[in-house]
Amino acid sequence: SNPEVLAIVTSNVLARIREDPSAKYYGVSQNDTEAHCTCATCAAVNAYEESGAGTVIRFVNAVAETVEKEFPAAVIETLAYRYSSKPPKHVRVRKNVMPCFCTFKCEFSKPLGTSPYPANRAIARDLSGWKKMCHNLYVWDYTTDFRNYLFPFPNVFVMRENCRFSRDNGVVCLYEQGGCQGRHASFAEL
């Protein structure tokens, strides 16, 4: 909610796009942590939006609005991840913003769309909620055990159903992050 931070980020994003205007997507995302601003203004926005994505989407929308004036084809990608996974209740995503919904904290051995597990049902609900509020939706799905790449990861038999679930929920980009960082990780070649 800090206007000075918005000005700095917008200026940096515009400078980056000017360096390479041939790219289509430019990332403006939260940190990979549960920590986020809890100042009175941000807390009020997130309470009103019933999600930590309230401040994230408002911020990214503001960046994207300015970017669109100079670069109408540029798309600003942002994470819907950790504290911002649940879609905001009121604010809508601008047409040149692409939320990247991450399948974080779920039970990976069951398909998201039909799983009986509460975490999977929450992810399915949130993904469907994002579909209703944006034109560009990206899913970042996890397909490895990041604590131990050599452990088998129990999702190989549900990936097809999860891909279909993503497609049926308006996902236009799907990233399956596997264990390519570690040698001999479970199904790294996939």
Side-chain angles (χ1 to χ4, degrees):
S1 61
N2 184 325
E4 292 176 27
V5 173
L6 177 61
I8 292 167
V9 171
T10 302
S11 175
N12 288 343
V13 169
L14 285 169
R16 175 65 184 98
I17 296 172
R18 289 177 189 128
E19 287 175 19
D20 184 7
S22 67
K24 181 174 181 177
Y25 303 100
Y26 302 88
V28 178
S29 293
Q30 68 197 49
N31 287 326
D32 189 354
T33 178
E34 291 289 340
H36 58 281
C37 185
T38 57
C39 75
T41 304
C42 287
V45 168
N46 290 338
Y48 174 73
E49 296 289 353
E50 299 179 16
S51 169
T55 51
V56 173
I57 294 300
R58 287 181 184 204
F59 184 88
V60 173
N61 276 350
V63 172
E65 182 177 9
T66 302
V67 165
E68 186 177 32
K69 293 172 186 170
E70 187 174 344
F71 300 99
V75 175
I76 306 300
E77 178 270 331
T78 191
L79 294 175
Y81 175 56
R82 293 183 176 260
Y83 69 87
S84 66
S85 292
K86 181 181 174 187
K89 188 169 185 174
H90 303 286
V91 68
R92 291 296 170 252
V93 178
R94 289 181 54 82
K95 66 180 179 172
N96 63 329
V97 171
M98 176 182 262
C100 175
F101 181 80
C102 302
T103 59
F104 182 66
K105 294 184 180 176
C106 68
E107 204 293 314
F108 289 96
S109 71
K110 303 291 183 202
L112 291 173
T114 58
S115 173
Y117 297 108
N120 291 32
R121 288 197 310 269
I123 286 176
R125 181 195 65 235
D126 290 346
L127 180 60
S128 295
W130 284 105
K131 171 190 176 185
K132 295 174 187 171
M133 64 181 321
C134 64
H135 302 287
N136 296 311
L137 185 55
Y138 171 17
V139 164
W140 185 319
D141 191 25
Y142 301 98
T143 63
T144 194
D145 184 333
F146 292 103
R147 291 196 174 110
N148 189 333
Y149 290 121
L150 299 181
F151 274 13
F153 200 67
N155 69 331
V156 71
F157 298 110
V158 301
M159 287 179 71
R160 179 176 61 184
E161 289 306 313
N162 285 346
C163 288
R164 287 180 179 152
F165 181 75
S166 291
R167 178 203 60 206
D168 293 347
N169 278 281
V171 172
V172 297
C173 295
L174 176 62
Y175 174 53
E176 300 287 354
Q177 184 181 7
C180 63
Q181 299 95 329
R183 292 186 67 189
H184 311 296
S186 176
F187 294 108
E189 293 80 9
L190 292 178

